[in-house]
Amino acid sequence: MAYKRRLLKEMQTLLDLSIPGLKFIPTEDGINHWYVDINIVDNPIYDPAHAFRLEIVAGDEYPIEPPMVKFIGQEIPLHPHVYSNGHICLNILGDGWTPAQSIRSIALSIQSMLQGNTKNERPPDDERYISHAPQNPRSSGWVYHDDNV
Amino acid sequence: MNIPWEKTVFPEGCQLDSLVTCTICKEPFSAPVVSSICHHSYCSFCIRNSLSTKNSCPVCNVELLESQIVKVPVLEEITRWYTFNSSRLYALVKKLENPDPKDSTGDNAQPKDDEIKELVEVKFASELGPRKTSPSDDSLISPSSNSKYFYIPRKLTEQPDTKKQKPKRSRKTISGFITKKSTTSVPKKEIENQVVVISDNESVNENFSDGVVEISDYGSTSEYFGKKKEYHDVDGGGLKDDEKDKKIETLDEEKHDSLIVNNNDESNLLINSSNKKNSLQNFLKKTPSVLPSSSSVLSTTRDNSSSDDPGSKKLPKLNFSMLSVPKIKEKFKKYNIPTPTHNGNSKHHLAAYYNQYLVLWNSNLDSNYPISKAQISARLREWERIQNLDQHNQRLRQDFGEGNSTNNQQRKEYNRTGSRNWMNKYKDEFNELVRRAKESKARSKAGEVE
């Protein structure tokens, strides 16, 4: 973790931050491991009272490499880019990542991705993917082809 | 930096704070470089590290190669200046906000910086015996657990050389800030700090000057004032004697500006007292005569490495797929790279090791204040140590955590029971599979015949 100081700084700002619908929860696993509770308020697809839990783990190469991000918990939000095992098909979590982004920007992107969702469905290849998906979504080879949603 | 400018009367300070912050490491720039394509700036180390995985600008995603980044010496100086002076600037702004702590009895959040000044005074008082510039002093001295000390760069005073230099420069002349309006019966209108310069007299001794050095970065300030005393005297800037021969002086705004600029020079000298070439003044002198980067690096690293060191220029990238392990080791010798401590024969490790050294080395060449080769080697070893830990952890993770869940379960079982037990348990399934495979093979053969 060459950039430990950056993670510490991010932790400091995340704890002070107040963004409506986002709650950053530190874990006991270290400064590189976060939970984020996301509430979606103005989208009829999602229950505004229900918080979806996002797990964010910044690896040893962070911020040069993107962190590992997935939904966890009982309820995974319905979205054409979110698989039922919690994996998210989003380019900034893979090829689109740049070190200028941060844990905060990822959480905001995912929140707005759900906010703007109009389709109450899973990805078309959901079953096929989760049958052989690796534990870590970063190990999957993603193809970001669908820009409509 | 994390100076909370937004909570002061001068929230614009935030902008400067973020302008000198690298978007990758979120720290003030060290050896900043700029992209010649999109003109975004980063620390040399950060952007080289980032470009080693992906050739694009982290901010705008435009394609960017390592050869297209250029160093920006002036930005490095600006960053250094800000790093050294931001805490004092902050203290000054806070004081502007709240010039007289007596008036703001209801506002307890504000006068922290004044408390520092109080402590400076207390220090004076304790070492000099009773010394009051005004009767109201007692009421102002507040015993405080002082969070503001956090912002003072202690580095400035940790150099033992400062004490040696001190008598030479300040000639036992001592000064410090005093914050109270009440101390100043000075005719000039003062919005800025008042400065008390205590001239050399029988009650001031060396111990006292040491005391000043201990008080954090005010040590450097006092040195500056000590040097500049004559200037003020000549200027006749409202001198006033009290019963202890102290001259109280005020600074008008102009002088104050010059103070801040020049003071950086002073603090640089304090930090790099062994290497005075690093001062801002010298830097400013240097720039007009457009020196090539390599020569300026040579001039500053002379203490550490000989000037005819073949490694004083940038290292090239190597194509490791074309090189054998002995060839790589030859290159290491040629470039004078310390040999890796682990996995010395793994090509993969050697390549990663070389690339890390390349990033460290090349980014160091972009700095106005390069570190020594020994320090680079130390960082490289640290990287190697962490890398080794990572690999170890990854192996553990691969064995137990990651991978397809069912597959993983089977693997665990296999590990636990050994291959024979596993074979016994799944014998039926295995035989069934073999039978089916034979059947389908026979079927396809039969199909071919027909």
Side-chain angles (χ1 to χ4, degrees), chain A residues 16-48:
Chain A
D16 293 346
L17 215 61
S18 61
I19 303 173
L22 284 184
K23 202 175 150 208
F24 292 90
I25 305 158
T27 65
E28 286 173 0
D29 291 355
I31 52 167
N32 60 336
H33 196 157
W34 287 83
Y35 292 136
V36 187
D37 280 350
I38 301 181
N39 284 86
I40 310 295
V41 279
D42 47 5
N43 191 331
I45 296 174
Y46 308 108
D47 174 11

Side-chain angles (χ1 to χ4, degrees), chain A residues 1 25 27 41 46 53 68 72 105 115 117 121-123 126 132 134:
Chain A
M1 253 190 270
I25 305 158
T27 65
V41 279
Y46 308 108
R53 178 157 283 196
M68 190 280 287
I72 55 170
S105 73
Q115 203 97 270
N117 183 24
E121 60 186 33
R122 288 273 173 229
D126 187 38
H132 66 270

Side-chain angles (χ1 to χ4, degrees), chain B residues 362-400:
Chain B
N362 287 353
S363 65
N364 192 40
L365 291 185
D366 284 327
S367 175
N368 296 347
Y369 309 88
I371 56 173
S372 71
K373 202 169 169 180
Q375 280 168 298
I376 295 185
S377 303
R379 287 193 194 177
L380 191 64
R381 270 196 296 279
E382 177 64 15
W383 171 85
E384 212 186 357
R385 194 183 63 78
I386 293 174
Q387 204 69 7
N388 228 39
L389 277 179
D390 289 355
Q391 274 174 7
H392 183 68
N393 288 345
Q394 248 166 33
R395 231 172 288 135
L396 281 182
R397 246 178 277 154
Q398 264 169 12
D399 282 351
F400 297 109

Side-chain angles (χ1 to χ4, degrees), chain A residues 1 3 5-6 9-10 12 60-61 63-65 95-102 131-136 139, chain B residues 1-2 23-27 45-46 49-50 53-54 57-59 61 386-387 390 397 401-405:
Chain A
M1 253 190 270
Y3 286 95
R5 280 181 63 89
R6 166 169 164 154
K9 279 196 173 179
E10 282 200 43
Q12 218 169 19
D60 299 310
E61 296 292 312
I64 304 301
E65 296 288 330
D95 297 350
W97 169 260
T98 77
Q101 284 155 336
S102 62
S131 64
H132 66 270
Q135 210 88 23
N136 185 345
S139 316
Chain B
M1 290 309 298
N2 286 339
T23 43
I24 297 178
C25 62
K26 313 283 185 201
E27 298 276 326
F45 176 79
C46 295
N49 223 347
S50 170
T53 52
K54 193 181 172 195
C57 170
V59 169
N61 248 331
I386 293 174
Q387 204 69 7
D390 289 355
R397 246 178 277 154
E402 306 239 349
N404 189 314
S405 51

Side-chain angles (χ1 to χ4, degrees), chain B residues 252-301:
Chain B
D252 56 34
E253 262 171 289
E254 269 176 53
K255 277 186 207 157
H256 197 257
D257 284 349
S258 71
L259 157 89
I260 288 171
V261 173
N262 285 324
N263 202 31
N264 177 50
D265 191 19
E266 204 67 21
S267 44
N268 276 348
L269 282 174
L270 285 173
I271 281 178
N272 298 309
S273 46
S274 58
N275 192 358
K276 293 185 181 174
K277 292 198 166 173
N278 286 346
S279 72
L280 180 62
Q281 222 165 37
N282 274 302
F283 169 76
L284 292 174
K285 271 183 217 152
K286 245 191 289 178
T287 28
S289 60
V290 195
L291 288 168
S293 60
S294 59
S295 70
S296 75
V297 166
L298 282 182
S299 73
T300 42
T301 47

